[in-house]
Amino acid sequence: MKYDYLIVGAGLFGAVFAREAREKGRNCLVVERRNHIAGNVYCEEIHGIQVHRYGAHIFHTSDKKIWDYVCRLAEFNNYVNSPIARYKGEVYNLPFNMNTFSRMWGISTPREARDIIAAQIADLRIAEPKNLEEQALSLVGRDVYEKLIRGYTEKQWGRDCRDLPAFIIRRLPLRFTYDNNYFNDRYQGIPIGGYTRLVEKLLEGTEVRLNVDYLEHREELDALADRIIYTGMIDQFYDYSLGVLQYRSVRFETEELEMENFQGNAVVNYTEREVPYTRIIEHKHFEFGKQPTTIISREYSSEWHRGDEPYYPVNDERNNALYEQYRAKAEADEKVIFGGRLGGYKYYDMDKVIAAALELCGALL
Ligand code: UDP
């Protein structure tokens, strides 16, 4: 065998594995279907602006080990994510905090906010939330749910909130301080110069072949290495033999505008159902850019069909059960190990992807 490991996919998981393997003296080959590295964290520089081509990525973690790891690869800026939500002309701060409540109800103290929310929750009489709608209602009450959650969630997941699992909403905390920081994590920022450069650093010294679709050249590629690290879709790897897992896909409508500042914030969510996109990203604000023009991306969420780019696993009961079957199959398969958002069928954040890759390296290398 020419290589110890064949790594399929040049995203974060594959690249972290490649770096650790190289440092341990293993020989790896990375193959990537696209014409560039970095997976969905890929950034493309356009007129001095780092454009997040596959959706906005904000690095955040509370794991000091992971933070130190990425800081050795790139310098991070001090961007703090504070998205804005627009609902029928009204503008609210996210996550739900005192700024949000004050705008919604004209109040100013945590006591007033808690009283209003508690009264709305009591009216609903939900004992044990059975789905996302009930979970959301019992956490935030009717007003916040109707204006800031329902439309956005139904657009993003293409499903009625009553048919969605409750866990999705745990990402949106409720806060009784005037703090617009979306994340609760200790460390946060964007790598200066973009994520592509960070992944380039990880892949330094590793052979990477772009424009190579593993599934089209399976036999020849398998013959090159003892083991495969596979970061694509696990169901596709097994030719959907046990069934098709569901994903959500995203379409980006990106344009450059002849103005310096379009929306005054990197992320603006459109929470009403009538607006067809979920959010608009203005990329320069991730880096405090002062360029004369600006680049924005409208994000449209859609159901994934074969051939589309998968973005989000739909981790409901049916899919998770099917994934477990694939995982059992994978465990019996000595040749291949799965990782990353698609290989693990998990709604992973970047820090969790890196941690999982490092964990695998610890066990394997
Ligand atoms: N969400 C919402 N309103 C918002 C933003 C998010 O209801 O304005 C909910 C929605 O259910 C979504 C989840 O929170 O699926 C997670 O959204 P987030 O933007 O954090 O996820 P990302 O797409 O950035 O991974």
Side-chain angles (χ1 to χ4, degrees), residues 243-260:
V244 182
L245 290 167
Q246 291 180 301
Y247 301 86
R248 295 293 292 171
S249 193
V250 187
R251 182 169 61 81
F252 299 97
E253 226 174 61
T254 297
E255 61 176 315
E256 182 166 13
L257 304 174
E258 297 296 324
M259 60 174 81
E260 203 206 311

Side-chain angles (χ1 to χ4, degrees), residues 94 148-149 153 156-157 171-172 182 269 279 312 347:
L94 294 176
L148 300 179
I149 296 178
T153 302
Q156 171 154 4
W157 296 97
R171 245 175 117 90
L172 280 183
Y182 193 61
N269 291 356
R279 56 188 167 195
Y312 296 94
Y347 189 0

Side-chain angles (χ1 to χ4, degrees), residues 56 58 81 83-85 94 96 132 145 148-154 156-157 161 164 168-172 182-183 267 269-271 278-279 299 312 341 347 349:
I58 299 132
N81 195 33
I84 293 291
L94 294 176
F96 312 134
L132 190 145
Y145 173 69
L148 300 179
I149 296 178
R150 186 189 200 154
Y152 187 93
T153 302
E154 296 196 346
Q156 171 154 4
W157 296 97
C161 284
L164 282 166
I168 293 177
I169 216 64
R170 287 186 207 124
R171 245 175 117 90
L172 280 183
Y182 193 61
F183 299 113
V267 184
N269 291 356
Y270 286 77
T271 55
T278 51
R279 56 188 167 195
E299 237 176 273
Y312 296 94
R341 217 187 235 211
Y347 189 0
D349 288 330

Side-chain angles (χ1 to χ4, degrees), residues 51-335:
V51 176
H52 297 218
R53 264 260 298 271
Y54 304 91
H57 283 79
I58 299 132
F59 195 89
H60 57 97
T61 189
S62 290
D63 187 335
K64 178 145 191 338
K65 214 176 75 229
I66 301 298
W67 180 246
D68 290 343
Y69 188 84
V70 294
C71 287
R72 285 196 294 274
L73 301 164
E75 190 182 336
F76 278 70
N77 71 15
N78 59 336
Y79 177 80
V80 170
N81 195 33
S82 308
I84 293 291
R86 285 186 53 170
Y87 177 82
K88 303 195 171 175
E90 297 166 13
V91 176
Y92 295 98
N93 287 106
L94 294 176
F96 312 134
N97 70 78
M98 283 306 299
N99 290 303
T100 325
F101 308 142
S102 153
R103 172 64 59 92
M104 194 161 289
W105 300 310
I107 49 102
S108 56
T109 66
R111 156 83 52 92
E112 293 167 293
R114 281 185 198 279
D115 286 350
I116 292 175
I117 291 171
Q120 293 192 1
I121 292 172
D123 278 352
L124 298 161
R125 297 174 211 286
I126 296 169
E128 210 182 296
K130 288 189 294 295
N131 53 48
L132 190 145
E133 175 166 291
E134 293 188 3
Q135 169 81 22
L137 282 169
S138 61
L139 281 174
V140 302
R142 172 91 40 209
D143 287 348
V144 174
Y145 173 69
E146 295 290 347
K147 289 190 168 181
L148 300 179
I149 296 178
R150 186 189 200 154
Y152 187 93
T153 302
E154 296 196 346
K155 282 192 287 186
Q156 171 154 4
W157 296 97
R159 286 156 177 76
D160 194 286
C161 284
R162 282 164 296 199
D163 296 328
L164 282 166
F167 79 89
I168 293 177
I169 216 64
R170 287 186 207 124
R171 245 175 117 90
L172 280 183
L174 203 61
R175 224 181 254 157
F176 292 93
T177 55
Y178 286 90
D179 176 5
N180 295 326
N181 182 349
Y182 193 61
F183 299 113
N184 287 315
D185 282 318
R186 173 74 178 76
Y187 309 102
Q188 182 171 182
I190 307 265
I192 295 170
Y195 288 93
T196 310
R197 238 202 254 166
L198 183 153
V199 176
E200 237 164 50
K201 198 87 183 276
L202 287 167
L203 291 171
E204 240 166 37
T206 300
E207 184 182 344
V208 180
R209 296 187 197 164
L210 299 176
N211 304 301
V212 175
D213 188 334
Y214 166 83
L215 295 170
E216 277 174 21
H217 304 276
R218 205 160 187 161
E219 270 175 44
E220 353 158 8
L221 290 169
D222 282 355
L224 294 178
D226 296 321
R227 295 190 93 174
I228 302 166
I229 305 295
Y230 194 80
T231 68
M233 296 151 66
I234 188 168
D235 55 340
Q236 187 182 29
F237 181 90
Y238 289 116
D239 208 18
Y240 307 106
S241 56
L242 302 171
V244 182
L245 290 167
Q246 291 180 301
Y247 301 86
R248 295 293 292 171
S249 193
V250 187
R251 182 169 61 81
F252 299 97
E253 226 174 61
T254 297
E255 61 176 315
E256 182 166 13
L257 304 174
E258 297 296 324
M259 60 174 81
E260 203 206 311
N261 187 2
F262 170 70
Q263 61 183 13
N265 205 36
V267 184
V268 176
N269 291 356
Y270 286 77
T271 55
E272 76 241 49
R273 193 98 73 98
E274 292 70 21
V275 176
Y277 39 87
T278 51
R279 56 188 167 195
I280 300 181
I281 303 299
E282 186 169 12
H283 301 270
K284 72 191 315 179
H285 296 309
F286 286 124
E287 300 193 292
F288 317 107
K290 297 281 180 289
Q291 297 84 354
T293 64
T294 192
I295 297 175
I296 63 164
S297 299
R298 291 187 187 81
E299 237 176 273
Y300 297 83
S301 180
S302 63
E303 196 62 27
W304 172 89
H305 300 287
R306 283 196 207 190
D308 297 344
E309 290 286 352
Y311 283 84
Y312 296 94
V314 181
N315 289 109
D316 61 14
E317 262 172 55
R318 177 212 163 256
N319 287 305
N320 286 343
L322 180 55
Y323 167 71
E324 279 308 316
Q325 291 180 33
Y326 276 113
R327 204 174 59 89
K329 198 174 167 81
E331 251 159 41
D333 197 333
E334 300 242 304
K335 176 106 183 167

